[in-house]
Every structure is written in C-alpha cells, then in structure tokens.
C-alpha cells in the first residue's frame, strides 16, 4: 500500500514540474490515443455489414417467395431495384443460395415440368398455350447456360392455323438478353442462338428470330441469315470497319518504326487506303490446235466385158429396130475414199476474285523539327517499303517536317507535374506528422521514465539516510553517490536540523507565530 501511495506522490510531483504546454501536450496525446482506440475498435462494430446481391432480376412472385423464406429463417436482407434485387450479408450469400435452391424456383421460369400434372377440363387451346409457355421457359433456361448471359427471356409468336396455305403466316420469336458486365456476344454466338431457337420451334426460320439486349441493341441485325446474303447496310458497315482497321494498322506500323528513329511523340502518321470491294468472277476458255481423232478409208474396184452397139446413128434416133453388128469391150472400175475427223481441246477456267483488293495507298508523315533533304529521302524510302507503296498504281508517300505546336501538351505536362508535386508534398507532410507524433510520444515516454527513476532514486536516498541515522541500515551515507540536486537538498535539510538542534526555543516561537497568523 505504501508503494502505491509513494508512486502516486511521485507522479503528482512529476506532473507539477511540467509546464502548461507540456501538460496540454500530454493531455492531447492521451486523448488522441483514446480516440484512435475508439475508432479502431468501436467504429468497425458500429459499421453496417457489407450487403451483396443474393438474386437479381427477379419476378415479383419469385421475390415475394424468397422474402417469405428469409423472414422464416430470420435473415437480415434489403430490397433494391424496385424489389427485383435482394441483398444479404456477404458472408451469408452462398449458404443462403444453397438453402433456397430446393425451396424456391429462383429463376421464375416454367418449363415442361408443368405437364407433370393433369388438369381436368383443359381445352386444346389451353394445352397449346401451356406448351408454348413451357417451350419458352426451356429455351430461356438453355440459353442462360451461356457464360456471357446473366438472364434471358424468350417470346414465341405462333400463327393461327389456316385452311388455306396462302393465308398462313410464319412463326416469329424474340430473345431478350441481359449480359454480364463488360461482356459482348460475337456474331457467331448470336447466330448460334438464332439457329437454336429456330430449330426448337416448328416452322420457325432463323431470319424470323430477333435477338436484342436490355440496352436496346439489336444483336441479330449484323448476322446474315442462313442461305441469304447480308443487306447493303451490313455490307457497307463491314467494309468501312475493314478499311478503318487496315488504315489504323498501317499507320501504327509506320509510326512505331519512325519513333525508334526520331523519338516518341515526334511523329504523326496517317494512312488512307482505297480498297475495291467488288467481287469479280472471270471465265476464260482456251482452245488448242486441232488433233485427228479418227480416220476412215474406203476403196472399190471392178473389171469385166461390156457390149458396144454400132450401125447407123439415124436408126438409134428413130427408135426402130437396129440393124448392124454388136462389138464387146473390156471395162474396169476403181474408187478410193478417205475420211479424217479432227477435234480441238477446250479448257474453261473460272476465277472468283475475293473483295478487298488494295487499289491505292496514301501515307502522310509529319515530323517534329527540321530534316535535311537526304534524311527526308531516306525516311520516304523506308516508309514506302514499310507501307508496301507501289508508285506504278498511283500510291503516294508524303513526308513533312515542321515544328509541332506543343502548348497544350506542355500545359498538360505542367499540370500533371504540379499535381504530382502536390501529392508528393502532402505525402511528405503526412509522413512528417506521423513521425513527429511518434517522436513526441517517445520523448514523453523517455521523460516520464527518467523522472520516475529520478524520484525513485531520491526516495531511496532519503530512506537510506533515515535508516543510517536511526542505525537500522548498514549502508553508509558516504558510500551513496549523490546528484547535485540531492546534495543541495541534503545541505538544506542539515542546516534546518542544525538550527532546530541549536535553537529549539526560537524555532518554536517562529512556528507559533506562523500558526497564529494562519
């Protein structure tokens, strides 16, 4: 108990020795320490827990069922997005999803499971509508399996059957997609969705399937239908994109080459490319020299004796009987005939030139500063070879050297430098204040420890002196090392003791006078 009393007296004596600003500094440091502990311990406990979406894009009926289940489980939740999103604590999200998976159909989609029950009194029209709803649900579930799709809705419009073929209408379908953040669908994926929906519905053509996202973008617009050619608008947009991509790639290639030679930021390159997008089909026919393919030879010969009629020629003309002698002569017949058939070889070649032929290339290069004529020619030659310029077809390469106007760039650089310097200065100030606070706390701690040790040494000295005076200690006062302050206090005490011992009556009178004045 005496130890604690002595400790308190020493602390009071130490506190009395502090100046006003030292006391205020100690009080401020203690208050800052307490407030810091409150901020680090109590504030996190008072902070609201992080809430994350349990489910999003819910139907009203599904959301009400989930909320009822959460109330039964006494789980804290919040509603957002007009009740379509349910927020729960982040550490409970996955467990709640597992618990609710078997209790609530969180998708809100009805599939073919609706036909597991038989409904009495249901007409053919009712069955047809229920089948259409179930088909839409099954298609939605399947499309939602895509990694890029967050949620999906499918609507199918089936025409009413007609007795006449010319009065029948085609079936149509619409697909609404909600994609995951920062995700886009490729045209091939959109085409796959269109083919999947069309093949799942009887009489539905891929061209009658419309795909769009929740932002109103028509995704199926740029997708060519099966067996059909894209529209003029689709072709033009694709050709323009191809032209811009080619020009950008060419300019970037030339600029990266020149920046290695001249420096970054000192070169500007622009390219213009004329591309022929006409699809040309060429048919050529080549005929070779005639070649004999067949030969036919025919020969005939005959020999014999023939009778010759003689007499008066008038007899022959008159048609009457002939009078005269008949002579016989030898006859011989011979025929030779040859037929040759010739034919020519024919080659038919068909070539289809794909669109995208480069007709002309123009490259403009701006260089910061001035260039010698020799250097300019070398750069022009390098650019021509890098761009694949062909001057015979009219390609052009222009090199222009002049100083750039860098005022805006310099202003931006100055602003960035000032912002960085300000941030760096604030960081230094912050670190300096932290270091100053640490040094102040360390200084206060060292001062308190030294003061405590000093008071403890004085107490030990006084106790040892009293013990030595009373003969209860074997320690000699001369053997104790005294500080100057302790020596001064000892001398004052010795003088007071000497006065009391030598003149006790006078000391008593003085004390009585002091008591009377008080």
């Amino acid at each position: 108990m005496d130890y604690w009393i002595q400790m308190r007296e020493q602390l009071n004596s130490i506190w009395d020795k502090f100046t006003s600003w030292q006391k205020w500094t100690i009080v401020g440091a203690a208050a800052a320490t307490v407030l810091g502990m409150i901020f680090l311990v109590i504030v996190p406990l008072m902070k609201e827990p992080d809430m994350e979406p349990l489910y999003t894009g819910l139907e009203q009926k599904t959301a009400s069922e989930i909320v009822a289940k959460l109330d039964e489980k006494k789980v804290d939740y919040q509603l957002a997005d007009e009740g379509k999103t349910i927020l729960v604590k982040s550490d409970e999200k996955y467990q709640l999803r597992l618990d609710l998976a078997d209790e609530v159909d969180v998708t809100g989609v009805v599939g073919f499971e609706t036909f597991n029950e038989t409904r009495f009194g249901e007409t053919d029209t009712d069955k047809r509508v229920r089948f259409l709803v179930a088909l839409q649900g099954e298609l939605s579930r399947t499309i939602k399996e895509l990694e890029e799709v967050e949620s999906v809705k499918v609507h199918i419009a089936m025409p009413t059957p007609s007795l006449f073929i010319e009065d029948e209408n085609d079936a149509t379908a619409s697909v609404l997609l909600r994609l995951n953040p920062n995700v886009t669908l490729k045209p091939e994926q959109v085409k796959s969705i269109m083919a999947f929906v069309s093949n799942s519905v009887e009489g539905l053509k891929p061209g009658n399937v419309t795909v769009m996202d929740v932002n109103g973008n028509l995704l199926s617009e740029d997708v060519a239908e099966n067996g059909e050619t894209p529209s003029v608008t689709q072709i033009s947009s694709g050709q323009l994109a191809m032209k811009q991509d080619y020009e950008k790639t060419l300019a970037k290639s030339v600029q990266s080459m020149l920046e290695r030679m001249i420096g970054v930021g000192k070169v500007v390159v622009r390219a213009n490319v004329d591309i022929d997008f006409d699809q040309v089909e060429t048919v050529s026919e080549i005929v070779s020299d005639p070649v004999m393919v067949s030969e036919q030879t025919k020969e005939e010969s005959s020999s014999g004796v023939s009778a010759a009629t003689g007499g008066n020629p008038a007899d022959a003309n008159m048609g009457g009987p002939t009078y005269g002698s008949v002579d016989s002569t030898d006859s011989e017949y011979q025929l030779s005939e040859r037929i040759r058939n010739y034919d020519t070889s024919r080659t038919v070649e068909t070539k289809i030139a794909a669109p995208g032929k480069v007709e002309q290339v123009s490259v403009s290069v701006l260089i910061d500063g001035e260039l010698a004529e020799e250097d300019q020619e070398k750069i022009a030659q390098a650019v021509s070879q890098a761009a694949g310029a062909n001057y015979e077809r009219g390609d052009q390469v222009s090199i222009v050297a002049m100083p750039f106007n860098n005022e805006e760039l310099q202003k931006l650089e100055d602003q960035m430098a000032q912002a960085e310097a300000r941030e760096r200065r604030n960081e230094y100030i912050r670190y300096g204040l932290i270091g100053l606070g640490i040094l102040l706390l360390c200084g206060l701690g060292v001062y308190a420890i030294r003061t405590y040790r000093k008071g403890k040494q004085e107490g030990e000295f006084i106790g040892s002196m009293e013990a030595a005076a009373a003969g209860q200690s074997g320690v000699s006062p001369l053997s104790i090392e005294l500080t100057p302050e302790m020596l001064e206090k000892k001398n004052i005490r010795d003088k007071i003791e000497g006065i009391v011992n030598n003149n006790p009556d006078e000391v008593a009178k003085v004390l009585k006078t002091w008591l009377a004045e008080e």
Side-chain angles (χ1 to χ4, degrees):
M1 194 68 174
D2 295 338
Y3 174 77
W4 292 109
I5 295 174
Q6 185 180 3
M7 178 66 69
R8 184 177 61 185
E9 292 177 353
Q10 290 178 355
L11 292 176
N12 291 332
S13 62
I14 293 172
W15 179 258
D16 294 336
K17 292 178 181 179
F18 289 151
T19 60
S20 298
W21 70 270
Q22 289 177 341
K23 292 180 180 180
W24 282 110
T25 302
I26 295 173
V27 172
T33 303
V34 174
L35 291 177
M37 294 178 63
I38 294 174
F39 180 79
L40 295 175
V41 177
I42 299 178
V43 172
L45 298 177
M46 299 174 60
K47 184 179 178 182
E48 295 183 358
D50 295 335
M51 307 295 284
E52 294 186 2
L54 178 64
Y55 296 110
T56 59
L58 296 173
E59 299 289 341
Q60 293 183 355
K61 181 179 179 181
T62 306
S64 62
E65 293 178 1
I66 295 176
V67 168
K69 293 294 182 181
L70 294 178
D71 291 335
E72 291 179 3
K73 298 178 181 293
K74 297 182 180 180
V75 176
D76 296 333
Y77 63 89
Q78 296 178 2
L79 297 178
D81 192 17
E82 299 180 355
K84 297 179 181 179
T85 301
I86 299 177
L87 304 175
V88 296
K89 296 180 181 179
S90 57
D91 55 348
E92 299 178 354
K93 177 176 65 174
Y94 299 106
Q95 184 62 40
L96 288 174
R97 285 182 180 178
L98 295 176
D99 295 340
L100 297 175
D102 297 332
E103 300 179 9
V104 181
D105 184 8
V106 295
T107 61
V109 177
V110 179
F112 285 125
E113 66 273 5
T114 184
F115 288 95
N116 293 336
E117 56 182 6
T118 302
R119 299 182 182 180
F120 296 100
E122 188 176 31
T123 62
D124 293 340
T125 303
D126 296 337
K127 290 182 179 179
R128 185 169 175 271
V129 171
R130 191 149 62 103
F131 173 79
L132 190 61
V133 172
L135 180 59
Q136 293 175 168
E138 292 295 334
L139 292 176
S140 300
R141 290 176 180 175
T142 307
I143 296 175
K144 192 177 182 299
E145 295 297 324
L146 293 177
E147 184 178 358
E148 294 82 2
V149 178
E150 179 180 348
S151 61
V152 60
K153 287 186 178 180
V154 179
H155 300 279
I156 301 174
M158 297 296 294
T160 304
S162 176
L163 296 176
F164 303 99
I165 298 177
E166 60 271 12
D167 295 338
E168 290 185 353
N169 297 322
D170 296 334
T172 59
S174 300
V175 181
L176 180 64
L177 301 176
R178 181 185 294 274
L179 302 178
N180 292 319
N182 303 323
V183 173
T184 57
L185 287 179
K186 300 179 182 178
E188 295 81 4
Q189 294 175 308
V190 178
K191 189 175 181 180
S192 299
I193 293 175
M194 296 170 61
F196 170 73
V197 175
S198 63
N199 292 327
S200 301
V201 180
E202 183 180 0
L204 179 61
K205 299 178 181 179
N208 293 335
V209 179
T210 302
V211 182
M212 64 176 295
D213 59 10
V214 293
N215 297 322
N217 299 320
L218 189 59
L219 305 179
S220 58
E221 182 179 10
D222 297 332
V223 179
E225 303 172 4
N226 293 335
E228 299 182 6
T229 57
S231 63
V232 177
T233 305
Q234 298 173 8
I235 294 176
S236 300
S237 61
Q239 291 174 354
L240 181 60
M242 178 180 176
K243 181 177 183 295
Q244 292 177 349
D245 185 65
Y246 188 90
E247 293 173 349
K248 187 183 299 183
T249 304
L250 179 60
K252 185 177 180 181
S253 175
V254 175
Q255 184 169 352
S256 62
M257 177 188 68
L258 294 179
E259 286 181 346
R260 296 291 298 272
M261 301 169 56
I262 302 173
V264 179
K266 296 185 177 182
V267 180
V268 177
V269 180
R270 294 292 183 269
N272 182 34
V273 181
D274 294 335
I275 302 177
D276 184 10
F277 291 101
D278 295 336
Q279 184 174 352
V280 180
E281 181 177 356
T282 304
V283 179
S284 60
E285 184 177 349
I286 302 174
V287 181
S288 61
D289 296 334
V291 178
M292 186 178 64
V293 295
S294 64
E295 183 179 4
Q296 183 179 1
T297 303
K298 180 179 180 182
E299 294 182 357
E300 294 181 1
S301 61
S302 62
S303 61
V305 179
S306 61
T309 301
N312 191 352
D315 297 337
N317 293 330
M318 295 177 65
T322 301
Y323 302 97
S325 61
V326 178
D327 297 332
S328 60
T329 59
D330 295 332
S331 62
E332 190 173 319
Y333 169 78
Q334 187 175 1
L335 176 64
S336 177
E337 182 181 357
R338 179 176 294 176
I339 299 175
R340 293 179 179 178
N341 297 322
Y342 291 88
D343 197 0
T344 57
S345 61
R346 179 180 302 175
T347 303
V348 179
E349 183 178 6
T350 302
K351 292 183 179 180
I352 300 177
K357 180 181 178 181
V358 178
E359 291 187 340
Q360 188 177 4
V361 176
S362 300
V363 181
S364 298
V365 179
L366 297 180
I367 299 176
D368 186 13
E370 297 181 356
L371 289 176
E373 185 176 356
E374 182 180 358
D375 295 337
Q376 190 169 352
E377 292 179 356
K378 291 181 179 179
I379 292 175
Q381 184 179 2
V383 172
S384 301
Q385 295 178 357
N390 185 1
Y391 294 102
E392 294 180 356
R393 67 182 179 186
D395 294 352
Q396 297 177 357
V397 175
S398 175
I399 308 296
V400 179
M402 63 174 55
F404 287 177
N405 185 0
N406 297 323
E407 294 181 359
E408 294 296 331
L409 180 61
Q410 187 64 34
K411 290 181 181 179
L412 291 176
E413 291 180 353
D414 295 340
Q415 292 177 0
M416 292 177 63
Q418 292 176 3
E420 291 178 357
R422 185 166 53 254
E423 183 67 22
R424 190 162 49 250
R425 183 172 60 254
N426 294 336
E427 188 175 356
Y428 290 158
I429 292 173
R430 184 165 57 252
Y431 290 155
L433 292 176
I434 294 174
L436 182 62
I438 294 174
L439 291 177
L440 180 61
L441 292 177
C442 293
L444 291 175
V446 172
Y447 182 79
I449 293 173
R450 292 182 61 184
T451 306
Y452 170 74
R453 290 180 178 177
K454 181 178 179 181
K456 186 177 181 180
Q457 290 177 358
E458 290 180 356
E460 291 177 353
F461 170 74
I462 294 173
S464 61
M465 292 296 295
E466 292 178 352
Q472 298 176 358
S473 175
V475 181
S476 176
L478 299 177
S479 63
I480 300 175
E481 296 181 359
L482 303 179
T483 61
E485 294 180 356
M486 296 172 66
L487 289 174
E488 184 179 358
K489 291 182 179 180
K490 179 178 179 300
N491 294 330
I492 293 173
R493 184 171 181 174
D494 292 343
K495 289 180 181 180
I496 293 174
E497 289 180 355
I499 293 172
V500 172
N501 293 330
N502 296 328
N503 301 310
D505 296 336
E506 294 181 0
V507 172
K509 291 179 181 180
V510 172
L511 293 176
K512 290 180 180 179
T513 303
W514 288 351
L515 293 174
E517 291 178 355
E518 293 181 357

